[in-house]
């Protein structure tokens, strides 16, 4: 059950009783958007986030009917460096398990698919995004308000590139522990590829799912602070068609 909805600048905000209701409702809206796009386009390009916050949404959208997934190309928005290709904590492997392997997608384009950590990989993936501009982004918000791995110290709303390698800040590493990806902060890789803020926000439609108590402060910053790279997620408030989906826990400081 949706318990509240409102607009903050251009950002639509919808708050639900539980994270399951949040994920299911977001999936229904996203599926409707995809069906509409596929009526008018030969192919649709989607950027997916790999995070525990997305699980309910990913489970629900995989069950939605009437979506021509064979005309959908999938991208993902960030990936660690320094991990073997088969490592279970690589985001590409997470997405393959949770969603990509469950759908008859036209193509899946993985970041750093060979494990070769070079600037050339950033350029390769950026070229793919230029050739196939994203129509939709499915994403979350980090505990430090990051989008993808655009932590506050590296976020740039006018970034000249679409993909870059960045160093993760300590709050970001701690979130990976909170999410159960790693046992300790020391295990979290220090560097990662990320799609930049302009790459993420160039999508015409953004669905942002952010459940959980650990995200409450980030949501408060997102909705109450001035729009600036100090709080990267505030950039969503300038997007023409972005919707933020919350549960009561993540919305607890703004209700």
């Amino acid at each position: 059950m949706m318990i509240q909805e409102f607009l903050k600048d251009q950002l639509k905000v919808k708050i639900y009783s539980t994270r399951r209701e949040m994920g299911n409702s977001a999936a229904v809206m996203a599926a409707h958007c995809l069906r509409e796009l596929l009526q008018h386009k030969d192919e649709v390009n989607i950027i997916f986030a790999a995070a525990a916050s997305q699980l309910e949404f990913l489970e629900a959208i995989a069950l939605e009917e009437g979506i021509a997934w064979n005309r959908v190309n999938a991208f993902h928005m960030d990936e660690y460096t320094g991990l073997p290709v088969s490592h279970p904590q690589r985001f590409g492997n997470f997405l393959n398990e949770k969603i990509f392997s469950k759908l008859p997608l036209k193509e899946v384009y993985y970041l750093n698919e060979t494990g070769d950590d070079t600037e050339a990989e950033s350029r390769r993936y950026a070229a793919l995004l230029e050739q196939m501009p994203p129509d939709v982004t499915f994403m979350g918000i980090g505990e430090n308000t990051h989008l993808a791995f655009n932590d506050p110290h590296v976020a740039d709303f006018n970034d000249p590139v679409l993909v870059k390698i960045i160093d993760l800040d300590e709050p970001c590493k701690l979130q990976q522990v909170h999410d159960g990806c790693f046992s300790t902060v020391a295990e979290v890789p220090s560097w990662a590829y990320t799609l930049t803020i302009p790459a993420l926000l160039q999508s015409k439609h953004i669905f942002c799912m952010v459940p959980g108590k650990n995200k409450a402060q980030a949501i408060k910053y997102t909705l109450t602070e001035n729009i600036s790279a100090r709080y990267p997620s505030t950039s969503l408030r300038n997007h023409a068609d972005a919707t933020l989906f919350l549960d009561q826990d993540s919305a607890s400081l703004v209700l």
Side-chain angles (χ1 to χ4, degrees), residues 59-75:
E59 290 173 7
I61 199 165
L63 298 175
E64 284 287 327
E65 298 180 350
I67 300 173
W69 291 109
N70 62 327
R71 292 194 282 126
V72 172
N73 298 306
F75 295 82

Side-chain angles (χ1 to χ4, degrees), residues 97-159:
E97 176 189 351
K98 302 300 182 184
I99 188 72
F100 295 163
S101 63
K102 298 179 180 181
L103 302 173
L105 293 160
K106 184 172 194 286
E107 295 287 347
V108 176
Y109 296 98
Y110 291 101
L111 253 173
N112 194 21
E113 60 186 354
T114 65
D116 295 329
D117 299 323
T118 67
E119 292 292 343
E121 173 61 11
S122 295
R123 294 192 294 271
R124 180 192 74 85
Y125 211 72
L128 289 171
L129 293 168
E130 289 171 350
Q131 294 165 20
M132 293 172 281
D135 300 289
V136 181
T137 297
F138 298 146
M139 69 191 318
I141 292 173
E143 292 178 18
N144 64 355
T145 72
H146 71 211
L147 300 182
F149 272 141
N150 294 282
D151 293 332
H153 73 291
V154 295
D156 183 349
F157 289 2
N158 299 299
D159 216 308

Side-chain angles (χ1 to χ4, degrees), residues 28-82:
V28 168
M29 291 181 60
H32 176 76
C33 176
L34 293 179
R35 293 186 198 102
E36 289 283 314
L37 287 170
L38 287 162
Q39 286 183 8
H40 306 289
K41 299 191 65 174
D42 291 335
E43 296 181 11
V44 168
N45 306 312
I46 306 175
I47 299 171
F48 288 82
S53 64
Q54 307 299 294
L55 288 175
E56 291 81 7
F57 168 77
L58 294 176
E59 290 173 7
I61 199 165
L63 298 175
E64 284 287 327
E65 298 180 350
I67 300 173
W69 291 109
N70 62 327
R71 292 194 282 126
V72 172
N73 298 306
F75 295 82
H76 70 119
M77 61 179 57
D78 44 17
E79 186 59 271
Y80 296 116
T81 67

Side-chain angles (χ1 to χ4, degrees), residues 180-242:
C181 299
F182 296 90
S183 298
T184 66
V185 169
E187 296 176 10
V188 182
S190 296
W191 296 84
Y193 291 92
T194 187
L195 273 62
T196 60
I197 300 290
L200 297 171
L201 270 57
Q202 70 175 310
S203 290
K204 296 180 178 64
H205 312 280
I206 294 177
F207 297 82
C208 185
M209 288 63 69
V210 191
K213 291 181 180 179
N214 287 346
K215 301 295 181 69
Q217 188 62 60
I219 291 304
K220 182 178 180 180
Y221 289 146
T222 300
L223 298 176
T224 64
E225 293 291 336
N226 293 331
I227 298 174
S228 77
R230 181 180 180 185
Y231 302 103
S233 56
T234 58
S235 61
L236 293 170
R237 286 159 44 195
N238 282 332
H239 194 276
D241 186 20

